[in-house]
Amino acid sequence: MTIGISIALMLASLLMMLLILLRKGKGGGLSDLFGGGFSSSFGSSSVVERNLDRLTVITGVLWFVCIIALGLLLRP
């Protein structure tokens, strides 16, 4: 059980880093590399940005739940 939650935590951490790097920043950044700068001229909140926000929140909640579960399982 502990190994499964640890693997889920590592996957959630990697996915969270990727999702945060893909977000549109004030100065561009890595999101412009994947076409983020092109969609910014059409509107402030596109469908892709809203879906990216939702996926980031869901991944953050999963990450938080995995941390709490590991803390409870590994408690002496």
Side-chain angles (χ1 to χ4, degrees):
M1 181 90 168
T2 305
I3 294 173
I5 295 175
S6 296
I7 291 172
L9 179 64
M10 285 187 278
L11 290 175
S13 298
L14 291 173
L15 184 60
M16 183 71 87
M17 284 188 284
L18 177 69
L19 290 172
I20 289 173
L21 286 174
L22 285 176
R23 296 183 63 83
K24 182 175 68 172
K26 292 180 183 177
L30 191 60
S31 64
D32 283 341
L33 181 65
F34 297 109
F38 180 71
S39 65
S40 66
S41 64
F42 292 113
S44 62
S45 179
S46 68
V47 175
V48 175
E49 290 173 359
R50 280 184 271 142
N51 287 336
L52 186 61
D53 289 342
R54 290 180 188 140
L55 192 56
T56 305
V57 169
I58 290 170
T59 306
V61 168
L62 175 69
W63 182 81
F64 185 73
V65 167
C66 287
I67 295 236
I68 296 297
L70 276 177
L72 292 174
L73 284 175
L74 297 176
R75 191 170 58 178

